[in-house]
Amino acid sequence: GEEDEDDDERPEVVNWSGTHACRPVAVHAPETVAEVEALVARYHAAGEKLRPCGGALSPNGLALSDGALLNLALLDDIVAVDADEKTCTVRCGARVEQVLDALAPHGLTLENLASIAQQQIGGFVGAGAHGTGASLPPVDETVLSLKVVTPGRGIVTVNRGDPLFPLFTVSLGLLGVAVEATLRCVPKHDLRERVEVLTRADAIARHAAYLRDNRHVRFMWIPHVDAVVVVTNNPTLGGELGEGQGLACAVPEAERVAPLRDALRSCGGDGEGLNFAQLRDACLAAAPLDLPH
């Protein structure tokens, strides 16, 4: 029909891994915060949805929609770098690689990085990118302040310590469009990488020790063979490994997993005694977003 032909004529947006695609009715790319405000107000007044899509890099299709998409790629200014306070303020369309380039002359870098650096800061923060390491905080924990364009209250600025701050940092656009973020930075450093291949039994036996003794560690099991590739990375000081590998997490385990346990209980489950990975899998199996409310 005519509607199908119109759908076929729309440009296709595909995520980085090629696992999901959509054909949005419109893709907006504002260049200023004022333009974002106008777009959000317009869609809010019309009762229509507008979905921020970041760089569309996530392997899932959460940021994609056949409705209207908002891409902040042109809102990518590096607003300020404070070398003394070790912070940077950037627009949320700036890519991680742009931020790293701006920080390098000041001897700074971001605390948590992925294996790629093409993510927009808004999506990088909003998705709660987590890196590899038991003591490494997720990206949202390094945000000090966030400026968000909301449908009902215009521009809202939330700071770490505000009661609603945790809701905004990982809201994935639900509460509004993040347009500016101030991030905590760390001194620029090199990492020393070590790659080992262990048996599954050895990997299980040494798992806790690897998490304790390394700043970054990941395990890659090769199916159908008794081999686990273990990759560790640790910061160096003057080319030498420092004593200790980062700070212990200040938040107790029970507090860290409480939101997942609450989500599982809302679906009729329990979750008592389950660790983070088990709670995550149980919540995914329960599919809380698919349940009637």
Side-chain angles (χ1 to χ4, degrees), residues 250-262:
V251 181
E253 170 74 11
E255 185 176 338
R256 294 202 301 270
V257 301
L260 283 176
R261 186 172 290 122
D262 291 342

Side-chain angles (χ1 to χ4, degrees), residues 2 25 37 60 81 94 96 115 123 125 141 146-147 247:
E2 184 176 341
V25 295
E37 283 188 273
N60 59 57
V81 176
V96 171
S115 54
V125 170
E141 288 293 324
L146 199 63
K147 186 178 292 185
L247 300 175

Side-chain angles (χ1 to χ4, degrees), residues 65-207:
S65 169
D66 289 333
L69 295 182
L70 180 66
N71 191 322
L72 298 184
L74 301 180
L75 194 67
D76 62 349
D77 308 287
I78 308 298
V79 179
V81 176
D82 189 327
D84 293 330
E85 294 296 325
K86 295 184 177 63
T87 65
C88 68
T89 299
V90 302
R91 301 294 195 194
C92 286
R95 295 190 179 274
V96 171
E97 57 192 350
Q98 293 174 259
V99 178
L100 296 178
D101 288 343
L103 292 175
H106 302 276
L108 298 173
T109 189
L110 297 178
E111 188 169 5
N112 196 329
L113 298 172
S115 54
I116 60 174
Q118 288 77 44
Q119 307 96 321
Q120 291 180 14
I121 289 296
F124 196 46
V125 170
H130 52 75
T132 52
S135 64
L136 187 67
V139 173
D140 57 283
E141 288 293 324
T142 70
V143 179
L144 302 177
S145 180
L146 199 63
K147 186 178 292 185
V148 184
V149 176
T150 67
R153 298 195 177 185
I155 294 181
V156 172
T157 299
V158 289
N159 301 298
R160 180 161 295 281
D162 293 347
L164 297 180
F165 183 77
L167 300 181
F168 279 91
T169 51
V170 289
S171 64
L172 291 170
L174 178 65
L175 302 179
V177 180
V179 292
E180 186 177 290
T182 297
L183 306 170
R184 182 179 71 236
C185 305
V186 296
K188 193 172 183 294
H189 55 273
D190 292 324
L191 294 173
R192 180 177 295 176
E193 181 174 275
R194 180 177 179 177
V195 181
E196 302 173 81
V197 179
L198 306 178
T199 65
R200 288 184 63 197
D202 282 343
I204 292 170
R206 297 167 61 183
H207 180 260

